[in-house]
Amino acid sequence: MTALATKPDIDVMKQVNRQFVTGVTVVTAMDGDTPRGLAVNAFSSISLDPATVMVCVQRTSSTHDCLFRAGHLAINILSTDQLDVVGTFAGKSDDKFKDLDWESGPFGSPLIARSSARMEVEIRERLQASTHTVFICRVVHASASELPAMVYSAGKFYDGGALAPLA
């Protein structure tokens, strides 16, 4: 006998998702001469060789179409020193790059200063998954700093460098 699939309660799904600790990234790309970006926690490494990652972006995001058209984008893994940055990129500001220290990567994508790590990627695939687009990307440039990464869980930000090991 097989169980019938039911749609899970949205409040239960929120509780489930709050149990998962995730990194905090800002995904950026150039829209002509204008830098664009948004905060994204749906980021993951797929493979180290070849270096391949994925990010998921809601199609209703004001940055989605820019990312969809782009050949390259940047993934900035935020450090504990960037609460101001995550606040800006989680919002709806018209100019999220105003007063932000950033530079162009080798392929032109905006790399944000003070990040724990940064990578520029070539978009290889764009998969439609319900309300989101999954961007499958090959890493073409990467750098890491000594700054501890910011992590997110249950609606709060934490110092990823202060996590206590279990063993």
Side-chain angles (χ1 to χ4, degrees):
M1 185 161 147
T2 59
L4 295 176
T6 60
K7 184 177 176 183
D9 180 76
I10 190 79
D11 291 327
V12 171
M13 287 310 304
K14 287 179 182 179
Q15 288 176 317
V16 168
N17 288 336
R18 285 185 189 114
Q19 297 302 316
F20 190 71
V21 176
T22 182
V24 182
T25 70
V26 169
V27 175
T28 58
M30 293 302 292
D31 191 5
D33 292 333
T34 305
R36 304 254 186 240
L38 75 161
V40 172
N41 68 357
F43 158 79
S44 182
S45 171
I46 295 174
S47 170
L48 289 176
D49 189 16
T52 307
V53 298
M54 61 165 253
V55 294
C56 302
V57 177
Q58 190 168 19
R59 288 199 308 257
T60 58
S61 163
S62 61
T63 307
H64 176 272
D65 291 350
C66 163
L67 295 174
F68 199 86
R69 289 188 303 268
H72 292 83
L73 58 85
I75 301 163
N76 300 273
I77 298 173
L78 298 190
S79 72
T80 55
D81 188 37
Q82 293 180 296
L83 277 174
D84 60 323
V85 175
V86 73
T88 298
F89 282 88
K92 302 279 187 203
S93 170
D94 288 337
D95 187 0
K96 296 177 183 178
F97 287 81
K98 183 182 178 199
D99 302 323
L100 182 71
D101 188 10
W102 66 280
E103 63 185 340
S104 292
F107 294 87
S109 304
L111 301 173
I112 300 173
R114 298 185 291 138
S115 294
S116 180
R118 310 179 304 178
M119 66 184 85
E120 193 169 18
V121 300
E122 177 186 12
I123 301 170
R124 292 294 185 94
E125 296 181 62
R126 296 160 181 85
L127 309 172
Q128 300 309 307
S130 185
T131 59
H132 286 65
T133 299
V134 180
F135 295 89
I136 307 294
C137 308
R138 183 72 49 87
V139 179
V140 293
H141 171 77
S143 64
S145 74
E146 296 297 319
L147 297 170
M150 183 187 308
V151 295
Y152 180 81
S153 180
K156 295 180 181 154
F157 297 102
Y158 295 90
D159 182 344
L163 299 175
L166 294 175

